[in-house]
């Protein structure tokens, strides 16, 4: 049965750790594996890191640049070389590919979000493997995905994928970093992300010298993907052939079970596609009404505001301690909300001088996080 499969490979798997040069043998095996999956009838998307790392190697830089302008310049050098290597290998296997470069702003606007979906749909129907990366050359810091783990999860959510494979430099998730803790316990199956919190799994935030990710970003990606109903697997990037073995049922890697009732595409866009501009702090009654009763947010339940936002911007909804409980699209600007927060809905027309929305965030535009 045909499946839609998203595969993310990180810089640590694509490059030699000592030099930052491309690990051609790994990339060749990856190309063979993905081409074979296409011939079996599966739809495949590859999310590939490596542009900055390859650019560093090409320019003789000994460490990843931190300044955004230099990083963008290095990415411009590396991206062309990276896609050429992929195209040469996939062409040898008679498998067409396409380069897709995305920034966070492509997902923020609903019409562009849908356009990207339609592009992926057409490419997959043509039998093409899209090779996706963040457009590091133009992405500004506040509109970056931050890492390709997050990008791959958002792509998997967007295309309604069946599987997301996160290829990394360890064979699975462990209770602690196995590089430093010899008796770290392997974790084969995660039914919910809360399990990891209960196990107090230690996740390093730093990736390799050449990459940006760490295990914490992969768990965050799994949270996004599983909420969309996508089964997610963390496995070793140096062995891309494991993807086929896992699809055949072999117990390799760490599997994150998908939610049985995934959230709607629109609510996933609100939760993960939009970049929140502000925060609304809620009283206990509002928190209960939203999180337990599925109600809309009213002005009476808001105790404080933070950030700068206009009507129809995305905001975080937080409890009194600042813990995020939900995200939503707000019906009022900050200036308007400063006048009406804590007040009853019937008072809003008198305070503002015009008939506003009854809700600050309607439940249809609100998603629990």
């Amino acid at each position: 049965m045909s499946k839609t499969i998203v595969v993310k490979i990180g810089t640590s798997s694509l490059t030699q750790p000592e030099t930052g040069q491309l690990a051609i043998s790994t990339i060749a095996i990856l190309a063979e594996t993905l081409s074979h999956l296409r011939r079996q009838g599966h739809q495949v998307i590859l999310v590939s890191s490596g542009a900055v790392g390859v650019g560093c190697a090409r320019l003789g830089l000994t460490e990843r640049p931190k300044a955004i302008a230099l990083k963008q310049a290095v990415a411009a050098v590396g991206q062309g070389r990276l896609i050429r290597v992929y195209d040469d290998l996939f062409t040898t296997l008679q498998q067409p590919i396409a380069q897709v470069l995305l920034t966070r702003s492509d997902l923020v606007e609903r019409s562009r979000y849908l356009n990207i979906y339609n592009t992926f749909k057409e490419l997959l129907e043509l039998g093409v493997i899209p090779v996706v990366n963040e457009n590091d050359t133009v992405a500004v810091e506040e509109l970056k995905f931050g890492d390709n783990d997050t990008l791959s999860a958002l792509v998997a959510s967007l295309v309604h994928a069946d599987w997301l494979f996160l290829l990394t430099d360890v064979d699975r998730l462990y209770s602690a970093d196995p590089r430093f803790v010899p008796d770290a316990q392997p974790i084969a199956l995660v039914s919910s992300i809360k399990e990891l919190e209960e196990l107090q799994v230690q996740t390093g935030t730093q990736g390799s010298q050449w990459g940006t990710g760490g295990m914490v970003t992969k768990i965050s990606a799994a949270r996004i993907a599983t909420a969309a109903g996508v089964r997610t697997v963390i496995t070793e990037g140096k062995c891309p052939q494991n993807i086929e073995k896992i699809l055949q049922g072999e117990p390799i890697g760490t599997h994150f079970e998908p939610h049985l009732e995934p959230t709607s595409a629109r609510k996933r866009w609100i939760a993960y596609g939009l970049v929140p501009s502000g925060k609304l702090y809620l009283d206990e009654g509002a928190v209960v009404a939203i999180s337990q009763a599925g109600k809309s947010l009213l002005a009476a339940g808001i105790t404080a505001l933070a950030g700068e936002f206009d009507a129809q911007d995305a905001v975080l909804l937080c409890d009194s301690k600042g813990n995020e409980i939900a995200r939503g699209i707000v019906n009022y600007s900050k200036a308007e909300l400063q006048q009406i927060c804590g007040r009853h809905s019937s008072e809003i027309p008198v305070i503002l001088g015009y008939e506003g929305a009854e809700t600050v965030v309607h439940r249809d535009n609100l998603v629990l996080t």
Side-chain angles (χ1 to χ4, degrees):
M1 183 177 173
S2 175
K3 301 287 185 186
T4 300
I5 300 164
V6 177
V7 177
K8 182 267 174 178
I9 189 163
T11 302
S12 62
S13 302
L14 288 170
T15 56
Q16 309 283 357
E18 305 82 16
T19 63
Q21 298 286 348
L22 283 172
I24 298 297
S25 58
T26 299
I27 302 173
I29 295 170
L30 177 68
E32 286 182 337
T33 300
L34 300 189
S35 298
H36 190 229
L37 289 173
R38 263 297 311 137
R39 288 194 295 274
Q40 290 175 347
H42 300 301
Q43 296 186 321
V44 181
I45 296 173
L46 173 62
V47 178
S48 174
S49 302
V52 176
V54 172
C56 286
R58 183 71 183 86
L59 296 170
L61 301 180
T62 55
E63 62 180 26
R64 190 182 182 90
K66 294 179 174 60
I68 186 78
L70 178 57
K71 194 185 296 182
Q72 289 173 327
V74 171
V77 172
Q79 187 61 44
R81 172 149 172 71
L82 182 63
I83 201 68
R84 180 185 172 182
V85 169
Y86 276 127
D87 194 48
D88 286 347
L89 290 168
F90 278 107
T91 298
T92 302
L93 298 163
Q94 299 182 315
Q95 172 58 54
I97 65 169
Q99 180 174 236
V100 180
L101 297 176
L102 298 176
T103 65
R104 193 68 184 249
S105 56
D106 294 320
L107 302 185
V108 168
E109 190 179 318
R110 184 71 177 159
S111 60
R112 287 166 73 179
Y113 181 89
L114 295 173
N115 286 341
I116 294 166
Y117 168 75
N118 290 330
T119 299
F120 276 123
K121 186 168 176 284
E122 292 295 334
L123 286 170
L124 294 173
E125 287 178 358
L126 288 168
V128 173
I129 295 179
V131 180
V132 185
N133 195 1
E134 178 161 15
N135 195 349
D136 289 306
T137 303
V138 299
V140 293
E141 201 62 45
E142 60 269 24
L143 279 176
K144 285 179 70 66
F145 294 102
D147 58 86
N148 274 351
D149 295 320
T150 300
L151 173 57
S152 68
L154 291 169
V155 169
S157 170
L158 174 69
V159 301
H160 314 299
D162 299 288
W163 291 81
L164 169 62
F165 290 91
L166 300 173
L167 306 187
T168 185
D169 52 2
V170 292
D171 61 341
R172 61 181 61 191
L173 183 63
Y174 286 82
S175 57
D177 191 330
R179 293 173 294 187
F180 308 113
V181 182
D183 60 349
Q185 295 301 305
I187 298 170
L189 181 65
V190 179
S191 298
S192 74
I193 303 297
K194 285 182 180 177
E195 279 184 20
L196 299 180
E197 295 166 1
E198 290 164 7
L199 288 167
Q200 296 184 313
V201 171
Q202 298 171 23
T203 54
T205 56
Q206 185 57 48
S208 69
Q209 177 191 2
W210 302 104
T212 57
M215 200 54 73
V216 68
T217 65
K218 288 162 184 60
I219 293 172
S220 296
R223 188 191 303 273
I224 295 170
T226 54
V230 182
R231 189 173 189 86
T232 303
V233 183
I234 293 173
T235 190
E236 192 167 15
K238 296 296 184 186
C239 303
Q241 60 269 41
N242 282 349
I243 295 170
E244 288 194 81
K245 294 178 182 178
I246 291 166
L247 290 170
Q248 290 162 6
E250 289 194 31
I252 299 170
T254 298
H255 291 237
F256 293 79
E257 289 190 336
H259 291 196
L260 294 176
E261 296 180 2
T263 51
S264 69
R266 176 175 171 78
K267 292 210 170 185
R268 293 199 304 272
W269 170 67
I270 292 170
Y272 306 115
L274 298 181
V275 180
S277 303
K279 288 183 179 181
L280 309 185
Y281 293 89
L282 315 182
D283 63 24
E284 193 174 338
V287 170
V288 171
I290 288 169
S291 60
Q292 296 182 25
K295 299 286 185 69
S296 300
L297 174 64
L298 304 178
I302 302 171
T303 58
L305 315 171
E308 297 295 332
F309 53 88
D310 294 318
Q312 302 309 305
D313 279 349
V315 294
L316 302 179
L317 307 184
C318 303
D319 63 18
S320 58
K321 295 178 181 176
N323 300 311
E324 180 187 338
I325 60 162
R327 296 186 179 199
I329 298 174
V330 70
N331 289 326
Y332 289 99
S333 68
K334 181 183 180 181
E336 292 169 318
L337 269 186
Q338 283 174 326
Q339 299 178 65
I340 63 174
C341 65
R343 308 297 285 268
H344 194 275
S345 299
S346 61
E347 299 177 81
I348 293 175
V350 177
I351 296 169
L352 296 180
Y354 50 85
E355 195 76 40
E358 184 179 343
T359 61
V360 173
V361 179
H362 193 276
R363 65 184 180 185
D364 291 344
N365 290 327
L366 186 154
V367 56
L368 298 176
T369 54

